[in-house]
Amino acid sequence: MNTAGSPDFLQIRSDFPILNQQVHGKALIYFDNAATTQKPQQVIQGITDFYTHYNSNIHRGVHRLSQESTRLYEEARQKVQAFIHARSEKEIVFTAGATASINAVATSFGDSFLSQGDEILLSQMEHHANIVPWQIVANRKGCSIKVIPMNDAGELLLEQLDSLLTEKTKIVAVSQVSNSLGTINPVKEIIEKAHQQGIPVLIDGSQAIQHQEINVTELDCDFYVFSGHKIYAPTGIGVLYGKERWLEKLPPYQGGGDMIDHVSFEKTTYNQLPFKFEAGTMNFVGAHALGLALDYVSAIGMKSIMEREANLLQYATSQLQQIEGTRIIGTASQKASVLSFVMDQIHQYDIGMVLDKMGVALRTGTHCNEPVMNYFGIDGTVRASFAFYNTEDEINIFIRGIEKVKLMFG
Ligand code: PLP
């Protein structure tokens, strides 16, 4: 905390050892946070501690180490439950990540609740991870995909929702925040409208969980998914939140150890929630590390993180807008700290390469959002995405880099 009572983000930045290095002889400026976030020492140390002191398979041992690792794994589940305000631990399923979570719902829900002629409603700005699993199940079941369109600012046209939600619609799946545009979607409104017609809603929280407070109970979504690596935890761990009554109804989508109650060659009965959906040896160290990452951001405070990142976005946006020949893609009134842009006559890869030489790590390309790129008639953008550990000084260097690109290629 500084004297004004807000967190000291420069001090906080020193928790991230990777940021303290040089790339091409320049201080690393990491603006690729929407792709994955960096890990604080507290999380890195927690992983080392786990392997040093507790490593043992969970749920299966009477011995001390197994009990300890099981305790840490289940504590992590409680931390996730508290963090997203789920009603019960039974509603928190650990997965490998958001993609795995969406595939689990698409497969399991699809098998039980979709049939020929049904419709699945997505949005124009979905990540491929929230399109392709639905297409696979739609092809298998003879369903069709419908899409909520958007406007040139990258805002969903909610006035079209009423006509898109029909008696054929069986599920709605939308992202809370767009990874390429930064748009914060009015998901509560979408959920309410869908529920008026008894249609369940999956929210892809991959780009929201790290930026704002999430309350799944208040949102009333039926499913909520996210990946640990987007919120300062390691890769290979993620979460599928599902309302208990939905998870009870859905069949398991993978079979194996731990998800069973009893097995015989004639018949298998399944374990209770949430274990019914956790087949095989889970990434228990990753789950523990995710719990530590949630402790970490909670100690800073999601409200403070939100404010800090809003300021960074606003500053970077205003600076970039002053450079003639740049066009921001994604100008919604409600945005998370994602700044996508293109430059007249200059290819995104050239921009990315020049910036890289200045130590600035940006993402270029379609960002797994080809339908968004098609909408804007472009083949990609440059995307700068900010986390609370970024600074205005870094943004200044990035802006100087863009000016340099313009001189070189413009
Ligand atoms: N959904 C959105 C909006 C994303 O931004 C991402 C990753 O960038 C995903 C889903 C997929 O996440 P993961 O690759 O961690 O499973």
Side-chain angles (χ1 to χ4, degrees), residues 76-90 92 294:
R77 198 188 306 278
Q78 290 162 5
K79 288 179 187 180
V80 174
Q81 180 206 342
F83 192 76
I84 63 170
H85 302 277
R87 283 200 178 84
S88 153
E89 286 160 52
K90 292 181 185 167
I92 308 298
L294 299 184

Side-chain angles (χ1 to χ4, degrees), residues 34-35 97-100 102 127 129 175 177-179 204 206-207 227 229-230:
T99 302
I102 297 168
H127 188 281
S175 51
V177 171
S178 156
N179 64 303
D204 176 359
S206 302
Q207 296 293 340
S227 293
H229 72 97
K230 306 273 193 200

Side-chain angles (χ1 to χ4, degrees), residues 321-337:
Q321 275 167 339
Q322 288 171 33
I323 305 179
E324 226 178 280
T326 58
R327 178 162 68 106
I328 294 174
I329 305 291
T331 50
S333 61
Q334 301 293 314
K335 275 185 70 173
S337 52

